[in-house]
Amino acid sequence: MNSVKIEDLRKKYGNVNALDGLNIQVDSGSVFGFLGPNGAGKTTTLRILAGLAQADSGSIFFGSENTSKSGTDQKARLGYLPEEPAFYGWMSPREYLDYVGKIFKLEAKERQLRVDQLLEKSGLKEAAKRRIAGFSRGMRQRLGIAQALMNHPSLLLLDEPVSALDPAGRKEVLEMIEGLSSECTVIMSSHILADVERVCDTVGIINKGKLITQAKKQDLLDRYAIPALEITTSNGSASLMPEWKLRLEKLPAITGVTVEGYRFHLAVKDVHTSQQEVMQDALHHNVTFEKLEVVKPSLEDIFMQLTGSLK
Amino acid sequence: MNFITAFNKEFLEQRRTRKFLIALVVLVLFGMTSPLMAKMTPQIMTMVPGGEAFVGMIPEPTINDAVAQYIKNIIQFGVLLALVFTMGSITIEKDKGTAAMILSKPMPRGSFLLAKFTSLALTFIIAVVIAGVAAYYYTYFLFGQMNILNWITLNGLIVLYILVYIAITLLYSTLTRTQYVAIGLSFGTLIFLGILGSLPGFGINLPDALISNASLLMSGYPVTNWTGLWVSLGIIVVSITTAWLVFRKQEL
Ligand SMILES: Nc1ncnc2c1ncn2[C@@H]1O[C@H](COP(=O)(O)OP(=O)(O)OP(=O)(O)O)[C@@H](O)[C@H]1O
Ligand SMILES: [Mg+2]
């Protein structure tokens, strides 16, 4: 298995600092969740790890080897799923996987077995002989995951692996990733924090090409154990909700508000004060609610707080 | 060997996307019809209104006319197809991201590139060989015997000429972002070499000399200056090497 250490990685595109001295340590056998807002540098980092782009400076160590020395050797142990996997439209999934198997120098028999296995695993068995050109985005993503697993990689890089999948597919793939942690190190980037919260044991949050924090998921949740309030409003207040959201955001003890249907999720500085402020405001403006409860923070709250998406 | 793997994929791609078939049909059709067209030229002239007046001035077509017609057609359409087939070979793979998928695996970039060149080369070799056989048959039928060894050499030189433009276009396809810029540059090079070749005494050093040498051979003259052949081989090697050196460092 492979641990990955990234030291002071820098990468410029024109005058954009895509990576600005990134440091990350991914332990062997862990499932590392790579988080950050759009343009933070996640894809750039994964592309550099996959050998598709070169960093301007900095170093990467796989295990104890510096990558500058190993080329094809390292690639033989790598699995990579890009953000938008692309295939030869004239091929069928079976042909593509077979081609990938040949690149990894699998013997004919072993290759066929592995291809069948992956088609099954990715739910593409029915479509195995169809042309990839007609595939939906979700099907492409499934095939992308299958090809990344062909060589039983010891390091798997997944750039938003579940972004195109339907809820059932997402669940399947996440379970698969969870199951892989015994075989290989996984680095996966995602915007869907609930997914990361579910499968990753370690989380790294980056913004503007720099690591903001990296920790075991549980430590992170404990460390930033700022509780949150969750309010379920009653139907009658529906028309008042947008205004109320604006007012809630201005309250001093509240750091962030997200709305989902009739539910308000408030990140707060302090439970007591915020509770009082919210109730007072509701009273003054005739907002009624069905439920107000104190909840544990989610990764989303921490993420929003750390990446400065909040006030 | 990864080269073989990549080569098989490329050649399969050319068959599936019908590039192979198109090259074959076009070149073989021109191969077959070239002697026919040479033979028919006087008759065709009589069909053109007012053309009768010229009939007496057109000499009886000879084997050399058939060969000239063949060279002209195969070169024109062979090179055109070569440019069109090659222009997107790298740009499209980079743009779509298919290259990134494959090259993050243990597939050396040199093998990837060389497989593109050799598979296109094979397509045109097969197409020219069959076109050559067809043309030989029809020429024999309409005009009489040709020297087989010279005919084989002529077709070899035609293939080499086409390979020069495949290599050049492959280089442009590596250097540029879109296939249209790549084919534009290739046409530019074609025209530039044409102008250079028209400088007195200089043409013998260029790929175009392959064609003039081929005609000389067929008309029974000895060819003494083969500089154009070495220059052509040089252009192929330099183009592919440069493409590889650039492609090795490119971000995908
Ligand atoms: N090939 C490129 N050319 C120019 N700029 C680039 C290139 N690749 C990345 N960038 C820039 O680098 C920065 C980081 O991009 P990157 O794709 O790594 O972000 P990301 O974290 O993956 O974002 P997202 O969540 O949207 O996928 C962005 O500002 C982006 O515009
Ligand atoms: Mg990205």
Side-chain angles (χ1 to χ4, degrees):
Chain A
M1 261 183 270
N2 247 330
S3 61
V4 180
K5 192 170 169 201
I6 294 175
E7 273 181 7
D8 198 31
L9 210 59
R10 281 168 202 278
K11 174 82 185 170
K12 262 191 162 189
Y13 286 108
N15 48 17
V16 177
N17 271 320
L19 296 180
D20 192 13
L22 183 69
N23 290 289
I24 286 178
Q25 165 76 47
V26 181
D27 292 333
S28 177
S30 65
V31 180
F32 185 89
F34 203 25
L35 299 177
N38 289 133
K42 305 181 291 296
T43 298
T44 306
T45 309
L46 293 177
R47 274 161 33 85
I48 292 173
L49 287 175
L52 295 171
Q54 281 113 27
D56 298 337
S57 65
S59 23
I60 297 172
F61 299 87
F62 293 115
S64 53
E65 295 165 49
N66 195 323
T67 45
S68 48
K69 289 187 209 94
S70 55
T72 27
D73 231 28
Q74 180 54 42
K75 285 182 170 172
R77 289 179 287 159
L78 191 82
Y80 171 61
L81 169 74
E83 207 162 10
E84 288 171 12
F87 306 94
Y88 303 107
W90 53 270
M91 278 190 185
S92 70
R94 180 177 290 283
E95 286 171 329
Y96 190 81
L97 291 176
D98 189 64
Y99 178 45
V100 169
K102 280 184 188 155
I103 295 175
F104 283 115
K105 301 200 163 59
L106 301 184
E107 294 296 330
K109 235 193 192 138
E110 189 191 354
R111 203 166 67 225
Q112 203 188 344
L113 224 66
R114 186 72 180 143
V115 169
D116 282 332
Q117 211 174 36
L118 288 170
L119 284 170
E120 176 87 55
K121 214 171 179 174
S122 58
L124 289 172
K125 216 171 144 194
E126 304 286 301
K129 288 189 173 159
R130 280 165 50 187
R131 274 161 45 99
I132 302 174
F135 274 23
S136 71
R137 205 161 109 73
M139 289 164 87
R140 281 164 202 264
Q141 191 131 29
R142 286 162 181 270
L143 182 55
I145 291 165
Q147 61 82 34
L149 295 174
M150 176 55 77
N151 58 333
H152 295 281
S154 54
L155 174 63
L156 185 60
L157 308 172
L158 304 170
D159 203 347
E160 300 185 28
V162 292
S163 63
L165 300 177
D166 56 30
R170 173 170 295 178
K171 185 161 172 282
E172 260 171 59
V173 169
L174 288 174
E175 273 164 10
M176 202 168 81
I177 295 171
E178 238 175 340
L180 284 171
S181 62
S182 54
E183 298 170 31
C184 68
T185 309
V186 181
I187 302 181
M188 96 177 217
S189 84
S190 178
H191 287 125
I192 305 158
L193 293 143
D195 294 346
V196 172
E197 193 162 349
R198 188 168 143 197
V199 298
C200 297
D201 49 38
T202 318
V203 175
I205 299 180
I206 73 167
N207 194 13
K208 302 199 172 95
K210 278 199 183 82
L211 183 76
I212 295 179
T213 189
Q214 153 172 16
K216 291 263 175 261
K217 179 181 68 192
Q218 204 47 52
D219 293 350
L220 200 66
L221 289 171
D222 292 345
R223 175 151 27 118
Y224 294 91
I226 355 133
L229 293 183
E230 214 161 82
I231 301 169
T232 312
T233 59
S234 41
N235 291 0
S237 317
S239 58
L240 301 168
M241 279 170 45
E243 282 171 51
W244 198 39
K245 176 169 187 273
L246 290 178
R247 283 205 309 280
L248 285 177
E249 278 169 346
K250 292 202 186 92
L251 293 176
I254 289 171
T255 52
V257 182
T258 47
V259 188
E260 226 178 274
Y262 290 107
R263 268 218 321 269
F264 282 72
H265 186 94
L266 313 179
V268 301
K269 283 183 191 146
D270 168 85
V271 178
H272 272 288
T273 342
S274 62
Q275 236 170 337
Q276 280 168 352
E277 286 175 4
V278 169
M279 293 208 276
Q280 240 161 34
D281 184 274
L283 213 60
H284 279 140
H285 295 89
N286 290 326
V287 183
T288 54
F289 43 76
E290 283 171 352
K291 203 163 79 182
L292 184 152
E293 61 180 334
V294 180
V295 293
K296 285 202 298 185
S298 67
L299 200 52
E300 189 152 342
D301 299 319
I302 297 171
F303 175 79
M304 299 277 263
Q305 203 171 21
L306 289 176
T307 56
S309 313
L310 302 175
K311 64 182 171 186
Chain B
M1 273 257 301
N2 268 322
F3 167 72
I4 307 270
T5 305
F7 175 84
N8 287 337
K9 176 252 159 192
E10 292 299 333
F11 196 56
L12 179 66
E13 176 164 358
Q14 286 186 51
R15 281 173 287 158
R16 287 275 179 88
T17 56
R18 303 286 180 267
K19 284 181 180 175
F20 180 75
L21 187 72
I22 291 169
L24 201 68
V25 168
V26 169
L27 295 192
V28 171
L29 269 183
F30 275 105
M32 272 166 27
T33 52
S34 293
L36 213 62
M37 281 193 273
K39 187 81 180 174
M40 305 286 277
T41 306
Q43 278 96 316
I44 294 170
M45 288 305 282
T46 61
M47 286 187 274
V48 180
E52 295 91 340
F54 297 99
V55 174
M57 296 158 70
I58 298 174
E60 186 63 16
T62 65
I63 253 189
N64 284 347
D65 295 318
V67 171
Q69 187 77 255
Y70 173 79
I71 294 177
K72 187 180 123 238
N73 285 333
I74 299 291
I75 288 291
Q76 224 166 53
F77 289 91
V79 168
L80 185 69
L81 287 175
L83 296 199
V84 172
F85 288 175
T86 316
M87 64 180 181
S89 51
I90 303 294
T91 48
I92 292 182
E93 288 233 17
K94 280 195 294 193
D95 190 49
K96 276 186 61 183
T98 45
M101 300 275 294
I102 295 303
L103 295 172
S104 61
K105 300 180 168 53
M107 167 68 75
R109 294 191 183 195
S111 304
F112 185 84
L113 209 62
L114 204 60
K116 300 253 178 216
F117 177 75
T118 47
S119 62
L120 281 162
L122 183 62
T123 289
F124 282 96
I125 289 171
I126 293 173
V128 170
V129 164
I130 298 180
V133 170
Y136 189 90
Y137 176 76
Y138 276 81
T139 311
Y140 176 76
F141 192 69
L142 294 168
F143 295 94
Q145 194 109 29
M146 291 190 288
N147 180 323
I148 293 201
L149 211 61
N150 283 350
W151 184 247
I152 292 173
T153 313
L154 173 133
N155 281 287
L157 293 175
I158 290 179
V159 166
L160 188 62
Y161 187 79
I162 295 174
L163 294 194
V164 168
Y165 282 96
I166 293 178
I168 289 176
T169 311
L170 191 66
L171 170 62
Y172 290 144
S173 190
T174 310
L175 294 176
T176 60
R177 278 174 196 276
T178 78
Q179 49 179 331
Y180 303 108
V181 178
I183 197 173
L185 289 172
S186 291
F187 272 120
T189 308
L190 196 68
I191 294 166
F192 175 70
L193 289 179
I195 295 172
L196 264 191
S198 65
L199 297 178
F202 196 69
I204 197 71
N205 304 314
L206 298 175
D208 286 13
L210 295 176
I211 307 309
S212 43
N213 282 354
S215 321
L216 278 180
L217 270 181
M218 281 311 287
S219 357
Y221 294 102
V223 173
T224 47
N225 190 335
W226 283 107
T227 318
L229 176 78
W230 299 115
V231 170
S232 299
L233 288 171
I235 291 179
I236 293 175
V237 171
V238 169
S239 295
I240 292 178
T241 311
T242 312
W244 174 63
L245 289 174
V246 172
F247 192 49
R248 231 162 43 121
K249 303 265 174 219
Q250 261 174 357
E251 299 208 342
L252 298 172

